[in-house]
Amino acid sequence: MVLFQDIALHGDSIGSIYIEADLGDVSDRLSRLVMIDFIVLVGSLAVVFVLSSRLQRVVSEPIRELAEMAATSRA
């Protein structure tokens, strides 16, 4: 992006200002943020997987034992 702007004082032009900018920094920052988001997502998924596998045993073990007791009492 290139910007020229005249500077006026009391109606007289006393100079101009020139600004040049590109989106390279914004693009670099965006790609860095996407990488950080991806790492956080993968880390969160790993934690959720570990917690869910442990909690699944806590919840399903009593149900399995109850089903086994019900099966042996029928026989």
Side-chain angles (χ1 to χ4, degrees):
M1 177 172 68
V2 176
L3 175 69
F4 286 100
Q5 181 69 43
D6 289 329
I7 299 173
L9 180 65
H10 303 296
D12 295 328
S13 179
I14 60 170
S16 62
I17 190 167
Y18 168 75
I19 299 174
E20 181 177 351
D22 63 14
L23 297 177
D25 292 338
V26 174
S27 177
D28 291 342
R29 186 177 302 154
L30 180 63
S31 60
R32 223 179 9 244
L33 288 175
V34 167
M35 183 60 72
I36 291 170
D37 288 346
F38 181 73
I39 291 169
V40 168
L41 175 67
V42 170
S44 299
L45 287 174
V47 169
V48 166
F49 179 75
V50 169
L51 287 176
S52 67
S53 65
R54 290 186 182 189
L55 287 175
Q56 181 180 4
R57 280 186 250 140
V58 169
V59 171
S60 63
E61 186 66 27
I63 295 171
R64 188 186 59 79
E65 289 176 5
L66 183 62
E68 285 177 3
M69 291 176 86
T72 56
S73 66
R74 287 185 193 167

